[in-house]
Amino acid sequence: MNNNDRGPIKFTEIDLGGDAGEGMRIPVRDPAAITPSKSITFSMESREQAFAEEALGRADEAGDPAPFVPFMSYWATYQQMTEAQRKWYFYWRSEVRQGRYHQTDLSYVFIYVYELIHQVGWTDPREGYRLLDEIWTAYRDKFPRLDHYLKEWTADFVLIHKLDIPLVHITQKAGSLLSHELMDLELVRLFQDKPLQIPMELLLILSDYDVQDSRFYVEAGQEDLDYHIPRIVSLAAGYLREKENDQWKELFAPDIPPKTTERYLFHRAVYDARLYGRLLPVTTIPIRNHAPLRSWVTQIIRYTENKLREHRGFKGRLRGVEIAPSVERLVELYLKRELTGRQEDRPAIVIDSDKLASLQKDTEYVRSMLTVEEPGTTEEKDEETVAPANKSSAVYSDPSGEGLTIHPVVALHSEESREPASVPETDPRLELGSGQVLVTDVSSDQEPAPITETDHSPELLADDNHAASTDSGPSESVEATNADSAAWDTSGLDEEWVRFAEMLAPYQLEALRVLTGSTPNADLNQVADRHGTMPGLIIDEINDLAMETIGDLVIDGDRIAQEYMDCFENLKG
């Protein structure tokens, strides 16, 4: 080994002779000096598990009357509520269990639904289904997004507990279809019914021809087609079942191997999977894709449209319609009977102008004989008779003494609310009997008209504590939003982006537009408030559509993903 300047390096070995000697001993540890150890416990309990356990513990908790406190949370649980919010929730829940549905916020409704999912508030599954349906009915008008979530969650509830409730009832209430495997399951069930009764929305998913895009459907034939097509399909299927059973089996009971799909239970709900599991296997026949059935339904729909076009004198006919002669004859007989019968049921209305003039003259003469006018009062009486005679409203006395206040007639649920606290002697409301109120004015000579009280169950009750925070003119906000709706020019984008844009609802386009602005958080909150939902829900919906079309998320957190900002350049308000 060489060193550059000093030459080669030499090593020396040194031997240290003698014994190594005794080593150093390690002293004994004093027990008194040992510090006692502390045990640390880590909880592996998830948010869903914690909610489920607390919900069971609070199942019978009743709430005393409390003021409304606003509450909005994406994943609503008890832990996210303040003490004041918890007091309102348990009071509101006690009222709901009595059938009284006060105005409240969407997050409170979600917590109540999560409780029902976890078997809180019911013992029989049919009772649980009824409670889910009632809370959905009570608040769906105020919170339209409930249709999207409760449609799927209610279907999960029915499947888990094996309730004999048609899934088509859920889809008809929500106004939209369920997932493909559930629609196959429902169609197979419906095909076994006698007579076959399939609603129009399910026939559309079995047809290769979208009749709703037809010019005849849009301009003149929607009512006729929606009414007659399901009845004609039912009639033709019944004929095949009785007369040509082999063909009926080929169409409606084909020998197709079943398919099993795993369904994600209570998706996006606060749900403890220890209760029912995370996935539910659904086994059914993929009947929607059965080509002979699709062709048969398509041809019947097209043939029916041609016959209705002919009957209504609508120009143009659909080409390439092929239908069996026996079914063709059946459809013709049905339409001849139905359309002719419906026309004959309408009596011809002929107005005799001479008799009308005579009656008008007699009426004016009788009125003039019954009217007694004093000098100088003609103008006052004319002003008094300007008010309309019939109005669907109830008239209440104004506490300020400035006059009368007109409010819409609503159905009241509690017996206490049916009795007015105090009615002055000049109160214009007179009780006529069960379900009727006489609306009159003591200073008017007009004949009072009874207004029948309608029964809507369940109905939202007006709540004084909540009115100030919720009734701030939502209709005006919606009209302004519609007037300034967003528009997206996708002419320079790829095909998948065009499909993505076409699937977006107007409020989702508006949300994307505000996310590209300078104040995205505040503007997105306003969009959510106008449409009765929450910002997080809108973002999830948009990202779901993006995954289906583009294959990626377009919103990262609460902002447009940086790599996709250029795609939204032509999204204008």
Side-chain angles (χ1 to χ4, degrees), residues 6-7 15 50 101 111 119 149 155 161 175 239 263 278 292 294 297 376 390 404 432 500 506 523 543:
R6 301 178 182 177
D15 182 13
Y101 298 85
I111 290 181
Q119 301 182 4
Y149 292 98
H161 297 287
Y239 172 82
R263 178 175 174 82
R278 177 58 61 190
R294 297 188 65 86
V297 172
N390 296 317
L404 299 176
L432 293 182
F500 171 59
D523 293 342
N543 277 335

Side-chain angles (χ1 to χ4, degrees), residues 267-463:
H267 186 47
R268 293 183 184 168
V270 176
Y271 160 64
D272 183 6
R274 296 177 301 177
L275 188 59
Y276 306 117
R278 177 58 61 190
L279 298 173
L280 177 69
V282 177
T283 302
T284 186
I285 296 174
I287 197 71
R288 290 176 305 105
N289 300 325
H290 185 43
L293 175 62
R294 297 188 65 86
S295 175
W296 186 82
V297 172
T298 300
Q299 294 302 321
I300 284 187
I301 291 176
R302 289 165 60 85
Y303 182 77
T304 303
E305 180 177 341
N306 274 347
K307 299 302 292 184
L308 290 173
R309 282 172 176 250
E310 179 182 349
H311 178 76
R312 298 302 180 194
F314 196 84
K315 295 181 179 179
R317 299 292 181 270
L318 301 176
R319 298 181 179 179
V321 177
E322 297 179 0
I323 192 169
S326 57
V327 176
E328 179 180 346
R329 179 62 178 163
L330 197 67
V331 175
E332 288 180 354
L333 290 174
Y334 165 83
L335 289 176
K336 182 178 180 181
R337 183 190 68 224
E338 286 290 317
L339 297 178
T340 305
R342 292 175 68 180
Q343 285 183 343
E344 291 176 352
D345 291 341
R346 301 174 184 174
I349 300 175
V350 180
I351 299 176
D352 189 334
S353 57
D354 294 336
K355 183 175 288 189
L356 181 63
S358 176
L359 289 173
Q360 184 176 3
K361 184 177 180 180
D362 292 344
T363 303
E364 292 176 354
Y365 174 75
V366 173
R367 184 170 58 185
S368 65
M369 293 297 291
L370 295 176
T371 304
V372 179
E373 298 182 0
E374 296 180 2
T377 61
T378 304
E379 295 182 359
E380 296 177 1
K381 287 186 176 291
D382 290 342
E383 292 178 359
E384 291 178 359
T385 58
V386 170
N390 296 317
K391 286 194 177 280
S392 58
S393 59
V395 184
Y396 299 87
S397 57
D398 190 350
S400 64
E402 297 179 356
L404 299 176
T405 304
I406 298 178
H407 300 286
V409 175
V410 296
L412 302 179
H413 295 268
S414 63
E415 293 298 328
E416 299 87 330
S417 60
R418 294 181 183 274
E419 300 178 2
S422 62
V423 180
E425 295 180 359
T426 59
D427 196 313
R429 294 176 296 164
L430 301 177
E431 291 289 336
L432 293 182
S434 176
Q436 290 188 331
V437 178
L438 180 64
V439 182
T440 184
D441 191 337
V442 295
S443 63
S444 173
D445 294 334
Q446 297 176 355
E447 182 178 354
I451 296 179
T452 302
E453 178 183 339
T454 58
D455 182 17
H456 300 285
S457 178
E459 177 96 11
L460 290 182
L461 297 179
D463 187 69

